[in-house]
Amino acid sequence: MRKQIREYAIQCIRDEVDAVLGIIPQLDDDFEQAVELMFNCKGKVIVTGVGKSGHIGAKIAATLASTGTPSFFINPLDVYHGDLGVMTHDDVVLAISNSGQTDELLRFIPMVLHMNIPIIGMTGNPDSLLARYSTFHLNTHVDKEACPLNLAPTSSTTAQLVLGDALAVALMELRNFKPRDFAQFHPGGELGKRLLTTAQDVMRSTDLPIIPKEMHLGEAIILVSKGKLGLGVSLDENQKIIGLITDGDIRRAMERWQAGFVEHTVEDIMTRKPKCVLADTKITEIQKIMHKNKVHTVLVIDQENHLLGVVDHYSCMI
C-alpha cells in the first residue's frame, strides 16, 4: 500500500513536470510584448482571477511586487463593490483563468476595457473570450490535469504559477534587479538583514590582537589565545597591515620546528597578503570570500590599508 502511495506521488510530479515543459513551445511574441508592457507600465500591475486561479494570481502579484514591479491582487467579485476605484489608466491588468470563460472574470473585463486599461490574459484556451479580448495572450494549455479524474486544477495551476514566475524573472532581468534591491523589499526578514548588513556593522574593532612581527612565537601564541579570535595582526610604523598569523599557522609551525618553535618569530610564518575588505562590504560578499579562499576571518581596512576591525565566520551568522 505504501509503495502505491509513493507511486501516486511520483506520477503526479511527472505529470506536472510534463505540463510545465509543455509551456515552452507555447511561448510566442505575446509573452515578450506582455513583459515589455509590464516593464513600461507607469502605474501598477493588477492581477485578478477566481478560485484556484485567484490563489495563483495572489502569489504572482506578491512575487512581482517583491521584485520591483508594483503589483497587487484584486478579486473580480470585489470590483462590483467599490474596488474598481483603485484602478487608473496607467495600470495593466493580468487576468488569469484556465478556461478563459470564467463568468465572474468576464463580467469584470468590460469595465477594464471601458477604462482603456490593457489586459494580459493568461488562459489555457486561446479561443476563449478572455483570450480574444486580451491585448496579449499567454497560453498555459496543458494536455491533462495531474488529478486522476482530470478535474481538479493541478497541472493547469502549476503552469500558471511557472509562467507567472517567468514574467517576474524576465522583468527582474530588464530592470537589472540586484540583491540590494531585493533586500529593500524584504527589510524585516533574515534575508534582508544579510543583504544589507556590512562589515562595519558586525566587525570587532576593540581589543584587537596586534602582534609585532619581531615577536617570538612562544610569546605570540599567548597573545593570539588572549585575543579570542584565533589570529594576530602585524602592523608597520604607519599602522598599516603587513601580515597575519592564525592559530592554524602556529600549530603547523610547532609541528615543523618542534623544540625550536619558540625561537622563530611572527615574521617567519605570517601571511603577508591576508584577505581584507572595506567597511562597507556586505556580509553576503564576505561569506563568498571566506568560502572561496577557505578562511574563517577577514580583516576590515580603510582605503589606506589601516586596520579597522576583524570579521569572523560567526559574525556573519545573523
Side-chain angles (χ1 to χ4, degrees), residues 8 11 15 25 30 44 47 59 77 81 106 135 137 144 165-166 174 190 203 207 230-231 249 259 268 308 314 316-317:
Y8 298 151
Q11 187 58 51
D15 287 344
D30 273 24
K44 306 166 293 296
V47 187
K59 189 275 178 187
L77 299 176
H81 302 282
L106 291 178
T135 310
H137 178 249
K144 66 173 183 175
D165 286 342
L174 287 179
E190 179 182 347
M203 69 182 185
D207 299 322
L231 56 80
D249 294 329
D268 294 333
L308 300 179
Y314 298 104
C316 298
M317 298 174 65

Side-chain angles (χ1 to χ4, degrees), residues 23-255:
I23 301 174
I24 296 175
Q26 296 169 180
L27 291 176
D28 55 19
D29 290 345
D30 273 24
F31 179 82
E32 297 168 10
Q33 292 174 304
V35 170
E36 290 172 355
L37 180 63
M38 296 167 74
F39 178 72
N40 293 313
C41 176
K42 302 300 182 184
K44 306 166 293 296
V45 174
I46 299 173
V47 187
T48 187
V50 178
K52 304 298 188 298
S53 294
H55 295 307
I56 296 298
K59 189 275 178 187
I60 292 173
T63 300
L64 290 170
S66 69
T67 53
T69 300
S71 177
F72 65 87
F73 176 79
I74 187 171
N75 189 317
L77 299 176
D78 294 332
V79 171
Y80 308 117
H81 302 282
D83 282 9
L84 189 64
V86 303
M87 300 175 63
T88 71
H89 297 289
D90 292 326
D91 297 334
V92 171
V93 167
L94 172 59
I96 306 173
S97 168
N98 184 44
S99 69
Q101 300 288 134
T102 307
D103 181 63
E104 300 90 340
L105 195 59
L106 291 178
R107 285 190 282 132
F108 168 53
I109 297 304
M111 305 178 195
V112 179
L113 295 175
H114 178 71
M115 297 179 67
N116 293 317
I117 297 174
I119 300 172
I120 300 170
M122 183 186 292
T123 84
N125 181 5
D127 297 321
S128 63
L129 285 173
L130 176 56
R132 203 174 307 165
Y133 284 104
S134 295
T135 310
F136 302 114
H137 178 249
L138 306 178
N139 190 355
T140 57
H141 171 76
V142 298
D143 290 333
K144 66 173 183 175
E145 299 287 3
C147 163
L149 302 177
N150 196 29
L151 294 174
T154 44
S155 297
S156 59
T157 47
T158 300
Q160 293 169 352
L161 185 63
V162 169
L163 196 55
D165 286 342
L167 289 171
V169 169
L171 286 164
M172 289 175 70
E173 293 287 354
L174 287 179
R175 297 186 194 285
N176 195 28
F177 201 76
K178 298 297 183 183
R180 180 178 181 84
D181 302 314
F182 192 86
Q184 288 175 344
F185 290 104
H186 301 76
E190 179 182 347
L191 177 60
K193 291 180 182 178
R194 288 166 61 82
L195 290 171
L196 292 176
T197 303
T198 65
Q200 189 172 16
D201 297 324
V202 299
M203 69 182 185
R204 174 171 155 184
S205 57
T206 59
D207 299 322
L208 297 176
I210 307 302
I211 302 177
K213 65 178 182 179
E214 301 85 5
M215 179 177 283
H216 287 95
L217 293 179
E219 299 174 82
I221 192 172
I222 298 173
L223 291 182
V224 169
S225 178
K226 286 183 177 180
K228 297 181 179 180
L229 284 173
L231 56 80
V233 184
S234 291
L235 307 177
D236 64 15
E237 61 275 8
N238 297 314
Q239 300 301 299
K240 294 184 178 183
I241 298 170
I242 57 173
L244 168 78
I245 64 169
T246 67
D247 48 9
D249 294 329
I250 293 173
R251 286 195 302 272
R252 286 185 287 274
M254 292 175 69
E255 292 173 1

Side-chain angles (χ1 to χ4, degrees), residues 2-18 146:
R2 288 189 176 182
K3 185 176 181 181
Q4 285 181 310
I5 292 173
R6 185 177 300 179
E7 288 299 323
Y8 298 151
I10 292 171
Q11 187 58 51
C12 175
I13 294 169
R14 284 176 174 163
D15 287 344
E16 298 210 6
V17 168
D18 289 342

